[in-house]
Amino acid sequence: MTPPKPCTGTTSVSVALLEQGLKVAHQAFTKQAFMLADAVSDAPCFSDYRQLDVLFPNAKFVYLDRPLDKWLPSMQMLLGRMMVHLDKDTGRFHPVMKRSFNHCFDIWQIEDVADEAHLTACYQRHQQQVLNYFAGRDDFISIDISIAGSLTALLQFIGLPLPSEVECPQLNLSHLNGPQLNFPQLNMGRNVASWDEYKHPNKISANASGPDKRKFFDYRLD
């Protein structure tokens, strides 16, 4: 599971893990989605990592880091497109997704959610909370997917074999030497739909239905 902020490469990580044979839910809004997936990369992990850590004691957690100066404009662009759908009463996004964004970014309390000072404070607060919570644990890693070799580090952390360029040409390995593997570069610029457009049999629906229908876990956030 990844407890990153949005706009840190969750789609790229999801696609890379799909190509390694894992079942991946980019987002997970039902119990069943979590049960079916080997990895969950986005909402609600960035807000619910403490509760999910208790529910899944054998899980490994990956914090996706990104420099603040690169994260800020991406997040401002994303919020500009999403806020109408994150409205508490009328937004069309799933309630779990809406409360995750509110938990981390106070979207229902702040007049200008995209304000640079506000988002900077949210970034720093979330980062410190995650690093403090997982301090000293060997089931946690922090990576920046723009760094050469970051995919190698992730695959070694979760115990997966390293692929070759022949096996996974979409992973952009051609300019690297040896085992230093890169992530695919997705959701660049204003493109925020790459996950929906990417077709793969191992994709897990965020709203997967199971024995409890589409019920979510009954925990509460602090």
Side-chain angles (χ1 to χ4, degrees):
M1 299 182 193
T2 57
K5 300 167 288 291
C7 294
T8 53
T10 58
T11 302
S12 296
V13 170
S14 295
V15 169
L17 293 180
L18 283 174
E19 294 300 333
Q20 300 313 301
L22 298 189
K23 295 179 180 178
V24 181
H26 185 232
Q27 299 168 329
F29 303 140
T30 66
K31 286 184 180 181
Q32 186 67 0
F34 276 96
M35 298 303 167
L36 292 175
D38 298 310
V40 181
S41 63
D42 204 292
C45 295
F46 58 82
S47 60
D48 298 20
Y49 56 89
R50 296 179 180 87
Q51 292 78 14
L52 295 170
D53 186 28
V54 174
L55 287 171
F56 300 95
N58 296 319
K60 292 187 176 183
F61 289 83
V62 181
Y63 179 76
L64 300 183
D65 200 4
R66 190 180 186 187
L68 178 60
D69 63 334
K70 291 183 171 29
W71 178 80
L72 272 172
S74 293
M75 193 63 196
Q76 289 170 326
M77 182 272 292
L78 182 67
L79 287 172
R81 300 178 66 169
M82 291 179 62
M83 279 305 297
V84 64
H85 306 302
L86 291 169
D87 184 271
K88 187 175 183 179
D89 299 315
T90 62
R92 67 176 180 83
F93 284 163
H94 194 283
V96 171
M97 185 172 185
K98 292 197 283 187
R99 68 119 170 97
S100 285
F101 270 80
N102 184 59
H103 184 81
C104 290
F105 302 106
D106 300 321
I107 60 173
W108 299 331
Q109 292 80 39
I110 301 297
E111 183 175 350
D112 183 8
V113 177
D115 175 71
E116 183 173 319
H118 169 66
L119 287 180
T120 297
C122 292
Y123 173 103
Q124 294 171 338
R125 178 185 64 197
H126 181 266
Q127 182 181 64
Q128 196 59 56
Q129 288 173 342
V130 171
L131 296 181
N132 286 346
Y133 180 80
F134 289 102
R137 291 176 48 167
D138 60 6
D139 57 356
F140 172 82
I141 190 175
S142 175
I143 62 172
D144 179 341
I145 73 162
S146 69
I147 302 299
S150 55
L151 178 55
T152 296
L154 176 60
L155 296 182
Q156 290 175 336
F157 172 66
I158 59 181
L160 290 178
L162 301 183
S164 69
E165 187 177 5
V166 173
E167 294 169 336
C168 296
Q170 53 273 79
L171 294 186
N172 187 28
L173 315 181
S174 59
H175 67 291
L176 299 172
N177 295 318
Q180 298 301 299
L181 308 183
N182 268 356
F183 284 93
Q185 299 299 304
L186 303 176
N187 276 359
M188 303 296 287
R190 298 188 64 82
N191 179 17
V192 294
S194 290
W195 178 252
D196 291 335
E197 297 164 358
Y198 188 79
K199 306 303 180 186
H200 198 285
N202 286 352
K203 287 178 66 171
I204 300 298
S205 169
N207 296 298
S209 180
D212 294 315
K213 306 297 184 182
R214 288 188 168 87
K215 184 178 180 180
F216 192 66
F217 302 107
D218 59 3
Y219 59 71
R220 293 178 176 272
L221 297 185
D222 299 332

